[in-house]
Amino acid sequence: MAKRIDVSGLNAYYGSFRAIEDISMTVEPRSVTAFIGPSGCGKSTFLRTLNRMHEVTPGGRVEGKVMLDDENLYGAGVDPVSVRREVGMVFQRPNPFPTMSVYDNVAAGLRLNGSYKKAALDDIVEKSLKGANLWNEVKDRLNKPGSGLSGGQQQRLCIARAIAVEPNVLLMDEPCSALDPISTLAIEDLIGELKERFTIVIVTHNMQQAARVSDRTAFFNLAAVGQPGKLIEIDDTERIFSNPSVQATEDYISGRFG
Amino acid sequence: MSTTAINDKRPSSLQGERLPKWFPWALGAGSVAVSVGLCLATGIDSRIQWGLIAAILFVLGTFVIAGRVEGRRQAKDRIATSLVWVAFLLAVVPLASLIWATVERGTKVLDGYFLSHSMGVVADTEPGGGIYAAIIGTLEQVGIATLIAVPIGVLTAIYLVEYGRGNLARAVTFFVDVMTGIPSIVAGLFILSLLLMFDLGFSGFAGALALTILMMPVVVRSTEEMLKLVPNELREASFALGVPKWRTILKVVLPTAIGGITTGIMLAVARIAGETAPVLLLVFGNPFINNNPFEGAQSSLPLYIYQQFKNSAGEGAAYDRAWAAALTLIAFVMILNLAARGIARWKAPKTGR
């Protein structure tokens, strides 16, 4: 299931503006990799290049190679739609489909990609909701609208929706920034469980969160506003938070930045 | 001097003097009474002048009394509130009187017979006859126009919002804007010139084509606005699940916006249902029932109203029939509006638990 991501020489542009410059890194399967760094340094842009969501933005353009095991996501003839089936994504703000019930939200990825038998779908919905630690809270109201849940529940619903299509990699773009500490804890616990099955990449502004959930941490920075963001270093989370090899990382983590 | 002024305006406690709740109503009734009395005394007999004098008295009275009792800030608040109320009444009075006049004059001959029979050979001065042919004509012409305009309009809006980039999209937007401003008579003339060019006769279909021209930009505009309201996050969420763009639009974007789109379409239908000019040129009018919109002259409600009123000299049977048909048309449009509201409420994304 889980696959390794190997990025080399990746540049991403918005029109003529280069947002990230020459990034190379490896993301190990069955692990959690956290991206930290100041706002505007290109963490989210880089994350979105990993499932070809960057090019959905008008003017978005990518150069370089992203290998998913041995397939280049940006190779000739690669369909972005099938890339996104392999690499799922959870967004900053919970975004369940407002016209759909809890059940339909989880089933959306499968239903919209082809017809499934009702019984098989029931199983997958239950499994995904259990996987997202949401089943016990919503099993009695599967047919109620998904937007009636609380913020934390909605975010777990979105995670259930993402894992229902069984991707190889799960990208999370600040999944807890709109949530209270208790819901954050629930999602962090969930990330710990999900890494048994998926490769997880998470962008976060919360360094304690990066330290708590991730195995490896990447620090991004930018020289100045208007300059492209760069990967400063990537290492085991413990190393980054105790003894980073670059001074800028230490400054950022200890709050001496800027 | 200035210190005393400040002290005067600032009461020591937080509770200032307040006028009672019934004050605006009492003042309103009082100013109407004074205005009527004043006008009767001075011999002004225009009702509009009575109303305007009452409105001025109301606003001035509010300001003076509230300023005395409650202080300047409260008086300004009250005067703003009373201006809003006066503006509201000024806007509602014409609407209410229009409906009142239509109902009063329209109900004289409006009955089952009127709705289910046509004019046939009934003369203008004779009572009898009805609007069956006109109803059939309106339904068919508006129905055909809707069938053509809605798919084209909705698809154009989808193109503009979801796909359109660059020059083509800008050109389409520009021409939609231009089309919005086309006077209905010009749309009618355009189709008429086609009829003459190809040597075709009057028909309901020709009228429907002109109505289509008028309806399409309205549908494009309202659908475009509704699609723009769909949050981009929903599209991205769907893309991230590996759903192709066309399916995302079909299954996520359109269902989210369908309530608003339906409302927009219904309002566009209501708008073209009352169009007279192109129908006058292209459908011509017909006192007999013609169920075939593709051949021969038909009738339609606005055209029927126009013709009956024109032939009535302001009284008699034709005059009553014109008002009854007007009432029917208003009822038709109102039912469409209510249906649009119902659909919008029914289809709106649910937030309840």
Side-chain angles (χ1 to χ4, degrees):
Chain A
M1 272 310 295
K3 286 188 177 176
R4 175 195 309 275
I5 307 173
D6 224 325
V7 184
S8 51
L10 190 99
N11 294 290
Y13 300 82
Y14 290 103
S16 58
F17 171 68
R18 177 148 68 166
I20 51 175
E21 182 178 10
D22 196 26
I23 290 184
S24 301
M25 71 160 69
T26 303
V27 175
E28 298 293 337
R30 292 197 179 73
S31 72
V32 179
T33 303
F35 292 173
I36 60 171
S39 293
C41 70
K43 309 177 296 286
S44 295
T45 305
F46 178 58
L47 191 77
R48 289 164 65 92
T49 62
L50 298 182
N51 67 344
R52 298 196 62 168
M53 286 293 282
H54 177 62
E55 63 210 69
V56 172
T57 322
R61 188 160 58 82
V62 177
E63 287 167 2
K65 243 172 36 173
V66 178
M67 304 294 289
L68 193 65
D69 277 0
D70 45 10
E71 273 185 295
N72 183 4
L73 299 187
Y74 289 93
V78 171
D79 181 3
V81 171
S82 34
V83 168
R84 293 179 201 135
R85 285 182 201 168
E86 302 276 307
V87 185
M89 189 161 187
V90 176
F91 296 84
Q92 183 171 0
R93 285 228 316 256
N95 52 1
F97 298 129
T99 52
M100 299 185 192
S101 65
V102 170
Y103 181 100
D104 292 336
N105 261 290
V106 181
L110 299 167
R111 275 219 185 116
L112 299 183
N113 281 326
S115 56
Y116 268 75
K117 292 224 169 65
K118 177 89 172 81
L121 213 52
D122 285 348
D123 282 351
I124 293 172
V125 168
E126 183 173 344
K127 209 177 88 189
S128 310
L129 283 171
K130 280 180 175 159
N133 284 335
L134 190 60
W135 175 253
N136 286 326
E137 292 160 60
V138 300
K139 64 183 173 197
D140 299 325
R141 41 174 167 155
L142 288 175
N143 291 318
K144 297 282 168 63
S147 39
L149 301 176
S150 77
Q153 288 173 329
Q154 286 189 19
Q155 192 62 302
R156 277 179 283 153
L157 178 63
C158 293
I159 294 177
R161 181 176 69 185
I163 62 179
V165 293
E166 292 286 321
N168 295 309
V169 180
L170 198 56
L171 308 177
M172 297 181 156
D173 191 354
E174 298 184 45
C176 303
S177 65
L179 305 181
D180 68 289
I182 294 172
S183 308
T184 303
L185 188 67
I187 293 200
E188 286 180 5
D189 289 346
L190 176 59
I191 292 172
E193 288 167 29
L194 291 175
K195 76 170 180 180
E196 311 288 324
R197 292 159 58 206
F198 304 99
T199 305
I200 295 179
V201 183
I202 174 171
V203 168
T204 177
H205 271 296
N206 180 334
M207 277 176 283
Q208 285 77 25
Q209 182 173 63
R212 282 195 298 265
V213 301
S214 71
D215 301 300
R216 284 167 69 77
T217 299
F219 174 61
F220 290 75
N221 204 351
L222 73 174
V225 176
Q227 300 283 315
K230 283 181 183 167
L231 173 65
I232 304 300
E233 65 174 319
I234 175 166
D235 210 331
D236 289 341
T237 300
E238 270 175 42
R239 281 284 299 280
I240 292 273
F241 281 93
S242 58
N243 187 21
S245 47
V246 183
Q247 183 63 36
T249 315
E250 196 178 336
D251 288 351
Y252 182 74
I253 286 165
S254 55
R256 259 178 286 148
F257 186 82
Chain B
M1 179 208 144
S2 61
T3 41
T4 49
I6 287 171
N7 282 342
D8 282 346
K9 277 175 204 160
R10 285 207 178 172
S12 53
S13 82
L14 291 176
Q15 274 185 326
E17 287 290 321
R18 300 280 294 151
L19 286 165
K21 277 230 172 81
W22 47 262
F23 166 72
W25 302 102
L27 185 66
S31 36
V32 169
V34 170
S35 151
V36 171
L38 211 67
C39 292
L40 287 179
T42 52
I44 298 171
D45 50 4
S46 156
R47 296 283 166 90
I48 295 172
Q49 282 169 337
W50 293 15
L52 286 178
I53 290 173
I56 292 169
L57 282 176
F58 178 63
V59 173
L60 283 180
T62 307
F63 186 68
V64 171
I65 297 175
R68 275 284 159 77
V69 181
E70 295 183 326
R72 286 196 56 173
R73 190 178 60 78
Q74 298 289 354
K76 280 181 197 159
D77 177 44
R78 290 227 183 238
I79 204 169
T81 312
S82 48
L83 281 175
V84 168
W85 272 98
V86 167
F88 165 72
L89 287 176
L90 286 180
V92 163
V93 163
L95 179 69
S97 81
L98 182 143
I99 290 179
W100 173 250
T102 316
V103 170
E104 192 191 20
R105 296 171 188 175
T107 42
K108 256 187 225 164
V109 291
L110 185 63
D111 54 17
Y113 181 88
F114 185 71
L115 292 175
S116 59
H117 288 74
S118 276
M119 290 314 292
V121 290
V122 178
D124 292 326
T125 48
E126 282 175 49
I131 53 171
Y132 181 73
I135 291 176
I136 291 291
T138 288
L139 287 180
E140 283 180 351
Q141 288 147 28
V142 170
I144 291 170
T146 309
L147 281 183
I148 303 172
V150 166
I152 298 178
V154 170
L155 290 174
T156 308
I158 289 176
Y159 168 77
L160 287 176
V161 176
E162 306 287 339
Y163 293 96
R165 302 271 175 274
N167 286 332
L168 180 58
R170 236 168 307 168
V172 172
T173 312
F174 176 72
F175 283 116
V176 169
D177 281 348
V178 171
M179 269 177 89
T180 316
I182 291 182
S184 56
I185 188 78
V186 177
L189 280 174
F190 168 65
I191 300 291
L192 184 66
S193 70
L194 290 186
L195 289 193
L196 297 174
M197 201 186 294
F198 295 106
D199 210 14
L200 300 167
F202 301 112
S203 70
F205 183 68
L209 286 182
L211 295 180
T212 305
I213 294 176
L214 297 173
M215 186 179 179
M216 215 150 44
V218 183
V219 174
V220 173
R221 263 297 133 101
S222 58
T223 308
E224 209 185 335
E225 293 308 318
M226 287 304 137
L227 291 178
K228 277 184 190 160
L229 284 182
V230 176
N232 231 352
E233 286 132 31
L234 294 182
R235 297 186 179 90
E236 294 202 331
S238 178
F239 292 154
L241 290 171
V243 181
K245 189 165 186 176
W246 67 272
R247 269 200 107 104
T248 301
I249 293 168
L250 205 63
K251 299 283 185 176
V252 176
V253 178
L254 282 179
T256 309
I258 194 73
I261 295 176
T262 320
T263 312
I265 291 172
M266 290 292 197
L267 294 178
V269 169
R271 183 182 163 327
I272 61 162
E275 279 298 345
T276 320
V279 179
L280 184 65
L281 287 178
L282 299 165
V283 183
F284 197 69
N286 186 348
F288 296 96
I289 298 167
N290 175 8
N291 284 328
N292 183 359
F294 297 101
E295 210 178 335
Q298 273 192 314
S299 187
S300 92
L301 280 173
L303 185 56
Y304 178 91
I305 296 168
Y306 169 72
Q307 288 173 336
Q308 291 293 317
F309 189 81
K310 189 183 68 174
N311 297 339
S312 69
E315 56 188 2
Y319 182 75
D320 291 340
R321 283 195 290 266
W323 279 104
L327 182 59
T328 314
L329 185 58
I330 290 182
F332 176 67
V333 170
M334 206 172 261
I335 288 168
L336 277 182
N337 273 317
L338 289 178
R341 276 163 185 274
I343 289 171
R345 188 171 294 178
W346 171 49
K347 282 289 185 184
K350 288 146 190 87
T351 49
R353 281 163 195 259

mmCIF file of all heavy atoms in Angstrom, chain B residues 209-244:
data_model
loop_
_atom_site.group_PDB
_atom_site.id
_atom_site.type_symbol
_atom_site.label_atom_id
_atom_site.label_comp_id
_atom_site.label_asym_id
_atom_site.label_seq_id
_atom_site.Cartn_x
_atom_site.Cartn_y
_atom_site.Cartn_z
ATOM 1 N N LEU B 209 -38.321 31.951 -30.186
ATOM 2 C CA LEU B 209 -36.912 32.226 -30.498
ATOM 3 C C LEU B 209 -36.507 33.606 -29.995
ATOM 4 O O LEU B 209 -35.439 33.781 -29.405
ATOM 5 C CB LEU B 209 -36.677 32.125 -32.000
ATOM 6 C CG LEU B 209 -36.649 30.704 -32.567
ATOM 7 C CD1 LEU B 209 -36.367 30.773 -34.061
ATOM 8 C CD2 LEU B 209 -35.603 29.862 -31.872
ATOM 9 N N ALA B 210 -37.386 34.593 -30.208
ATOM 10 C CA ALA B 210 -37.074 35.944 -29.720
ATOM 11 C C ALA B 210 -36.999 35.944 -28.195
ATOM 12 O O ALA B 210 -36.109 36.573 -27.613
ATOM 13 C CB ALA B 210 -38.130 36.927 -30.201
ATOM 14 N N LEU B 211 -37.921 35.228 -27.557
ATOM 15 C CA LEU B 211 -37.883 35.147 -26.088
ATOM 16 C C LEU B 211 -36.599 34.468 -25.625
ATOM 17 O O LEU B 211 -36.029 34.837 -24.589
ATOM 18 C CB LEU B 211 -39.105 34.396 -25.566
ATOM 19 C CG LEU B 211 -40.452 35.068 -25.810
ATOM 20 C CD1 LEU B 211 -41.585 34.232 -25.248
ATOM 21 C CD2 LEU B 211 -40.480 36.458 -25.203
ATOM 22 N N THR B 212 -36.132 33.475 -26.399
ATOM 23 C CA THR B 212 -34.876 32.803 -26.060
ATOM 24 C C THR B 212 -33.726 33.800 -26.003
ATOM 25 O O THR B 212 -32.907 33.775 -25.085
ATOM 26 C CB THR B 212 -34.565 31.727 -27.113
ATOM 27 O OG1 THR B 212 -35.667 30.857 -27.202
ATOM 28 C CG2 THR B 212 -33.317 30.961 -26.746
ATOM 29 N N ILE B 213 -33.693 34.685 -27.011
ATOM 30 C CA ILE B 213 -32.621 35.687 -27.052
ATOM 31 C C ILE B 213 -32.665 36.541 -25.787
ATOM 32 O O ILE B 213 -31.632 36.907 -25.229
ATOM 33 C CB ILE B 213 -32.762 36.574 -28.305
ATOM 34 C CG1 ILE B 213 -32.536 35.732 -29.549
ATOM 35 C CG2 ILE B 213 -31.803 37.746 -28.260
ATOM 36 C CD1 ILE B 213 -32.746 36.489 -30.832
ATOM 37 N N LEU B 214 -33.879 36.858 -25.333
ATOM 38 C CA LEU B 214 -33.991 37.695 -24.147
ATOM 39 C C LEU B 214 -33.664 36.923 -22.875
ATOM 40 O O LEU B 214 -33.180 37.477 -21.893
ATOM 41 C CB LEU B 214 -35.412 38.249 -24.037
ATOM 42 C CG LEU B 214 -35.822 39.163 -25.187
ATOM 43 C CD1 LEU B 214 -37.286 39.512 -25.076
ATOM 44 C CD2 LEU B 214 -34.971 40.411 -25.168
ATOM 45 N N MET B 215 -33.948 35.632 -22.883
ATOM 46 C CA MET B 215 -33.821 34.846 -21.658
ATOM 47 C C MET B 215 -32.388 34.375 -21.429
ATOM 48 O O MET B 215 -31.918 34.295 -20.297
ATOM 49 C CB MET B 215 -34.753 33.634 -21.759
ATOM 50 C CG MET B 215 -34.827 32.804 -20.494
ATOM 51 S SD MET B 215 -35.953 31.441 -20.729
ATOM 52 C CE MET B 215 -35.818 30.647 -19.138
ATOM 53 N N MET B 216 -31.698 34.067 -22.516
ATOM 54 C CA MET B 216 -30.386 33.419 -22.395
ATOM 55 C C MET B 216 -29.402 34.211 -21.534
ATOM 56 O O MET B 216 -28.809 33.653 -20.617
ATOM 57 C CB MET B 216 -29.820 33.163 -23.789
ATOM 58 C CG MET B 216 -29.048 31.895 -23.860
ATOM 59 S SD MET B 216 -29.099 31.140 -25.484
ATOM 60 C CE MET B 216 -28.858 32.481 -26.573
ATOM 61 N N PRO B 217 -29.200 35.510 -21.794
ATOM 62 C CA PRO B 217 -28.209 36.220 -20.971
ATOM 63 C C PRO B 217 -28.583 36.252 -19.495
ATOM 64 O O PRO B 217 -27.700 36.202 -18.636
ATOM 65 C CB PRO B 217 -28.186 37.626 -21.566
ATOM 66 C CG PRO B 217 -29.408 37.750 -22.366
ATOM 67 C CD PRO B 217 -29.780 36.386 -22.811
ATOM 68 N N VAL B 218 -29.889 36.308 -19.209
ATOM 69 C CA VAL B 218 -30.300 36.319 -17.803
ATOM 70 C C VAL B 218 -29.914 35.003 -17.142
ATOM 71 O O VAL B 218 -29.393 34.967 -16.022
ATOM 72 C CB VAL B 218 -31.818 36.570 -17.699
ATOM 73 C CG1 VAL B 218 -32.233 36.660 -16.245
ATOM 74 C CG2 VAL B 218 -32.199 37.834 -18.424
ATOM 75 N N VAL B 219 -30.165 33.900 -17.863
ATOM 76 C CA VAL B 219 -29.814 32.588 -17.305
ATOM 77 C C VAL B 219 -28.296 32.480 -17.122
ATOM 78 O O VAL B 219 -27.809 32.019 -16.083
ATOM 79 C CB VAL B 219 -30.330 31.461 -18.224
ATOM 80 C CG1 VAL B 219 -29.847 30.112 -17.743
ATOM 81 C CG2 VAL B 219 -31.831 31.480 -18.282
ATOM 82 N N VAL B 220 -27.538 32.921 -18.126
ATOM 83 C CA VAL B 220 -26.077 32.842 -18.021
ATOM 84 C C VAL B 220 -25.601 33.607 -16.793
ATOM 85 O O VAL B 220 -24.839 33.106 -15.977
ATOM 86 C CB VAL B 220 -25.399 33.417 -19.287
ATOM 87 C CG1 VAL B 220 -23.903 33.492 -19.100
ATOM 88 C CG2 VAL B 220 -25.722 32.572 -20.494
ATOM 89 N N ARG B 221 -26.085 34.831 -16.675
ATOM 90 C CA ARG B 221 -25.632 35.685 -15.574
ATOM 91 C C ARG B 221 -25.941 35.065 -14.208
ATOM 92 O O ARG B 221 -25.079 34.947 -13.344
ATOM 93 C CB ARG B 221 -26.316 37.060 -15.672
ATOM 94 C CG ARG B 221 -25.430 38.061 -16.349
ATOM 95 C CD ARG B 221 -24.228 38.223 -15.466
ATOM 96 N NE ARG B 221 -22.985 38.175 -16.175
ATOM 97 C CZ ARG B 221 -22.279 39.226 -16.496
ATOM 98 N NH1 ARG B 221 -22.726 40.407 -16.209
ATOM 99 N NH2 ARG B 221 -21.133 39.084 -17.098
ATOM 100 N N SER B 222 -27.200 34.653 -14.016
ATOM 101 C CA SER B 222 -27.562 34.170 -12.677
ATOM 102 C C SER B 222 -26.842 32.858 -12.391
ATOM 103 O O SER B 222 -26.359 32.640 -11.277
ATOM 104 C CB SER B 222 -29.076 34.018 -12.559
ATOM 105 O OG SER B 222 -29.549 33.142 -13.533
ATOM 106 N N THR B 223 -26.738 31.981 -13.395
ATOM 107 C CA THR B 223 -26.034 30.719 -13.162
ATOM 108 C C THR B 223 -24.564 30.959 -12.845
ATOM 109 O O THR B 223 -23.997 30.334 -11.946
ATOM 110 C CB THR B 223 -26.153 29.811 -14.398
ATOM 111 O OG1 THR B 223 -27.515 29.704 -14.757
ATOM 112 C CG2 THR B 223 -25.600 28.444 -14.122
ATOM 113 N N GLU B 224 -23.967 31.914 -13.575
ATOM 114 C CA GLU B 224 -22.560 32.240 -13.343
ATOM 115 C C GLU B 224 -22.353 32.674 -11.888
ATOM 116 O O GLU B 224 -21.445 32.188 -11.208
ATOM 117 C CB GLU B 224 -22.192 33.381 -14.287
ATOM 118 C CG GLU B 224 -20.756 33.420 -14.700
ATOM 119 C CD GLU B 224 -20.467 34.664 -15.527
ATOM 120 O OE1 GLU B 224 -21.396 35.217 -16.153
ATOM 121 O OE2 GLU B 224 -19.308 35.092 -15.514
ATOM 122 N N GLU B 225 -23.222 33.570 -11.426
ATOM 123 C CA GLU B 225 -23.076 34.054 -10.044
ATOM 124 C C GLU B 225 -23.197 32.903 -9.058
ATOM 125 O O GLU B 225 -22.464 32.819 -8.081
ATOM 126 C CB GLU B 225 -24.135 35.124 -9.735
ATOM 127 C CG GLU B 225 -23.966 36.410 -10.521
ATOM 128 C CD GLU B 225 -22.557 36.973 -10.418
ATOM 129 O OE1 GLU B 225 -22.002 36.956 -9.303
ATOM 130 O OE2 GLU B 225 -22.000 37.389 -11.437
ATOM 131 N N MET B 226 -24.150 32.003 -9.320
ATOM 132 C CA MET B 226 -24.362 30.891 -8.393
ATOM 133 C C MET B 226 -23.154 29.948 -8.384
ATOM 134 O O MET B 226 -22.742 29.460 -7.344
ATOM 135 C CB MET B 226 -25.620 30.115 -8.784
ATOM 136 C CG MET B 226 -26.872 30.852 -8.466
ATOM 137 S SD MET B 226 -26.909 31.273 -6.706
ATOM 138 C CE MET B 226 -27.494 32.933 -6.785
ATOM 139 N N LEU B 227 -22.594 29.688 -9.569
ATOM 140 C CA LEU B 227 -21.444 28.780 -9.634
ATOM 141 C C LEU B 227 -20.232 29.394 -8.946
ATOM 142 O O LEU B 227 -19.430 28.697 -8.321
ATOM 143 C CB LEU B 227 -21.101 28.453 -11.088
ATOM 144 C CG LEU B 227 -22.118 27.591 -11.812
ATOM 145 C CD1 LEU B 227 -21.708 27.381 -13.256
ATOM 146 C CD2 LEU B 227 -22.283 26.252 -11.133
ATOM 147 N N LYS B 228 -20.113 30.740 -9.048
ATOM 148 C CA LYS B 228 -18.982 31.396 -8.397
ATOM 149 C C LYS B 228 -19.089 31.293 -6.888
ATOM 150 O O LYS B 228 -18.090 31.398 -6.185
ATOM 151 C CB LYS B 228 -18.943 32.875 -8.801
ATOM 152 C CG LYS B 228 -18.267 33.115 -10.128
ATOM 153 C CD LYS B 228 -18.189 34.608 -10.389
ATOM 154 C CE LYS B 228 -17.747 34.898 -11.798
ATOM 155 N NZ LYS B 228 -18.109 36.267 -12.192
ATOM 156 N N LEU B 229 -20.321 31.149 -6.388
ATOM 157 C CA LEU B 229 -20.511 31.066 -4.941
ATOM 158 C C LEU B 229 -20.069 29.716 -4.379
ATOM 159 O O LEU B 229 -19.890 29.581 -3.177
ATOM 160 C CB LEU B 229 -21.981 31.290 -4.582
ATOM 161 C CG LEU B 229 -22.467 32.733 -4.643
ATOM 162 C CD1 LEU B 229 -23.921 32.807 -4.224
ATOM 163 C CD2 LEU B 229 -21.636 33.606 -3.717
ATOM 164 N N VAL B 230 -19.944 28.705 -5.241
ATOM 165 C CA VAL B 230 -19.531 27.390 -4.741
ATOM 166 C C VAL B 230 -18.060 27.488 -4.320
ATOM 167 O O VAL B 230 -17.218 27.875 -5.125
ATOM 168 C CB VAL B 230 -19.706 26.320 -5.830
ATOM 169 C CG1 VAL B 230 -19.187 24.980 -5.348
ATOM 170 C CG2 VAL B 230 -21.156 26.207 -6.217
ATOM 171 N N PRO B 231 -17.753 27.169 -3.051
ATOM 172 C CA PRO B 231 -16.370 27.347 -2.595
ATOM 173 C C PRO B 231 -15.403 26.490 -3.394
ATOM 174 O O PRO B 231 -15.696 25.330 -3.717
ATOM 175 C CB PRO B 231 -16.409 26.888 -1.141
ATOM 176 C CG PRO B 231 -17.823 26.716 -0.779
ATOM 177 C CD PRO B 231 -18.618 26.607 -2.019
ATOM 178 N N ASN B 232 -14.251 27.071 -3.699
ATOM 179 C CA ASN B 232 -13.237 26.336 -4.434
ATOM 180 C C ASN B 232 -12.767 25.099 -3.682
ATOM 181 O O ASN B 232 -12.342 24.122 -4.284
ATOM 182 C CB ASN B 232 -12.050 27.265 -4.677
ATOM 183 C CG ASN B 232 -11.656 27.283 -6.114
ATOM 184 O OD1 ASN B 232 -12.176 26.497 -6.915
ATOM 185 N ND2 ASN B 232 -10.733 28.142 -6.461
ATOM 186 N N GLU B 233 -12.852 25.169 -2.342
ATOM 187 C CA GLU B 233 -12.396 24.029 -1.541
ATOM 188 C C GLU B 233 -13.150 22.758 -1.893
ATOM 189 O O GLU B 233 -12.589 21.670 -1.828
ATOM 190 C CB GLU B 233 -12.598 24.332 -0.057
ATOM 191 C CG GLU B 233 -11.606 25.324 0.486
ATOM 192 C CD GLU B 233 -12.274 26.415 1.296
ATOM 193 O OE1 GLU B 233 -13.315 26.149 1.919
ATOM 194 O OE2 GLU B 233 -11.764 27.544 1.283
ATOM 195 N N LEU B 234 -14.436 22.913 -2.267
ATOM 196 C CA LEU B 234 -15.205 21.714 -2.605
ATOM 197 C C LEU B 234 -14.676 21.097 -3.893
ATOM 198 O O LEU B 234 -14.570 19.877 -4.017
ATOM 199 C CB LEU B 234 -16.677 22.054 -2.760
ATOM 200 C CG LEU B 234 -17.374 22.499 -1.483
ATOM 201 C CD1 LEU B 234 -18.844 22.760 -1.753
ATOM 202 C CD2 LEU B 234 -17.220 21.453 -0.413
ATOM 203 N N ARG B 235 -14.331 21.955 -4.862
ATOM 204 C CA ARG B 235 -13.771 21.426 -6.108
ATOM 205 C C ARG B 235 -12.452 20.722 -5.811
ATOM 206 O O ARG B 235 -12.205 19.614 -6.276
ATOM 207 C CB ARG B 235 -13.538 22.554 -7.100
ATOM 208 C CG ARG B 235 -14.798 23.266 -7.519
ATOM 209 C CD ARG B 235 -14.520 24.273 -8.614
ATOM 210 N NE ARG B 235 -15.748 24.935 -9.013
ATOM 211 C CZ ARG B 235 -16.209 26.060 -8.467
ATOM 212 N NH1 ARG B 235 -15.513 26.654 -7.526
ATOM 213 N NH2 ARG B 235 -17.351 26.587 -8.877
ATOM 214 N N GLU B 236 -11.608 21.370 -4.990
ATOM 215 C CA GLU B 236 -10.311 20.767 -4.693
ATOM 216 C C GLU B 236 -10.482 19.466 -3.935
ATOM 217 O O GLU B 236 -9.759 18.500 -4.180
ATOM 218 C CB GLU B 236 -9.469 21.752 -3.877
ATOM 219 C CG GLU B 236 -9.098 22.988 -4.666
ATOM 220 C CD GLU B 236 -7.889 23.702 -4.108
ATOM 221 O OE1 GLU B 236 -7.665 23.603 -2.887
ATOM 222 O OE2 GLU B 236 -7.168 24.348 -4.885
ATOM 223 N N ALA B 237 -11.436 19.443 -2.994
ATOM 224 C CA ALA B 237 -11.673 18.201 -2.249
ATOM 225 C C ALA B 237 -12.023 17.086 -3.208
ATOM 226 O O ALA B 237 -11.552 15.949 -3.076
ATOM 227 C CB ALA B 237 -12.789 18.412 -1.238
ATOM 228 N N SER B 238 -12.830 17.402 -4.207
ATOM 229 C CA SER B 238 -13.235 16.381 -5.159
ATOM 230 C C SER B 238 -12.063 15.968 -6.048
ATOM 231 O O SER B 238 -11.837 14.773 -6.273
ATOM 232 C CB SER B 238 -14.402 16.907 -5.991
ATOM 233 O OG SER B 238 -14.783 15.965 -6.941
ATOM 234 N N PHE B 239 -11.286 16.956 -6.519
ATOM 235 C CA PHE B 239 -10.104 16.613 -7.329
ATOM 236 C C PHE B 239 -9.172 15.719 -6.535
ATOM 237 O O PHE B 239 -8.601 14.762 -7.059
ATOM 238 C CB PHE B 239 -9.338 17.874 -7.730
ATOM 239 C CG PHE B 239 -10.063 18.762 -8.680
ATOM 240 C CD1 PHE B 239 -9.787 20.115 -8.731
ATOM 241 C CD2 PHE B 239 -11.033 18.246 -9.526
ATOM 242 C CE1 PHE B 239 -10.472 20.943 -9.602
ATOM 243 C CE2 PHE B 239 -11.720 19.070 -10.393
ATOM 244 C CZ PHE B 239 -11.443 20.422 -10.428
ATOM 245 N N ALA B 240 -8.993 16.032 -5.240
ATOM 246 C CA ALA B 240 -8.043 15.277 -4.419
ATOM 247 C C ALA B 240 -8.483 13.840 -4.236
ATOM 248 O O ALA B 240 -7.686 12.985 -3.845
ATOM 249 C CB ALA B 240 -7.862 15.949 -3.066
ATOM 250 N N LEU B 241 -9.771 13.559 -4.481
ATOM 251 C CA LEU B 241 -10.226 12.166 -4.403
ATOM 252 C C LEU B 241 -10.015 11.456 -5.732
ATOM 253 O O LEU B 241 -10.422 10.311 -5.894
ATOM 254 C CB LEU B 241 -11.713 12.119 -4.054
ATOM 255 C CG LEU B 241 -12.072 12.547 -2.637
ATOM 256 C CD1 LEU B 241 -13.573 12.675 -2.499
ATOM 257 C CD2 LEU B 241 -11.538 11.556 -1.634
ATOM 258 N N GLY B 242 -9.425 12.130 -6.681
ATOM 259 C CA GLY B 242 -9.199 11.514 -7.975
ATOM 260 C C GLY B 242 -10.436 11.534 -8.856
ATOM 261 O O GLY B 242 -10.610 10.668 -9.706
ATOM 262 N N VAL B 243 -11.319 12.514 -8.637
ATOM 263 C CA VAL B 243 -12.516 12.621 -9.469
ATOM 264 C C VAL B 243 -12.195 13.554 -10.639
ATOM 265 O O VAL B 243 -11.671 14.645 -10.430
ATOM 266 C CB VAL B 243 -13.691 13.185 -8.645
ATOM 267 C CG1 VAL B 243 -14.932 13.279 -9.500
ATOM 268 C CG2 VAL B 243 -13.936 12.332 -7.430
ATOM 269 N N PRO B 244 -12.493 13.136 -11.880
ATOM 270 C CA PRO B 244 -12.221 14.011 -13.025
ATOM 271 C C PRO B 244 -13.037 15.292 -12.952
ATOM 272 O O PRO B 244 -14.063 15.344 -12.271
ATOM 273 C CB PRO B 244 -12.653 13.174 -14.226
ATOM 274 C CG PRO B 244 -12.878 11.814 -13.726
ATOM 275 C CD PRO B 244 -13.064 11.851 -12.263
#
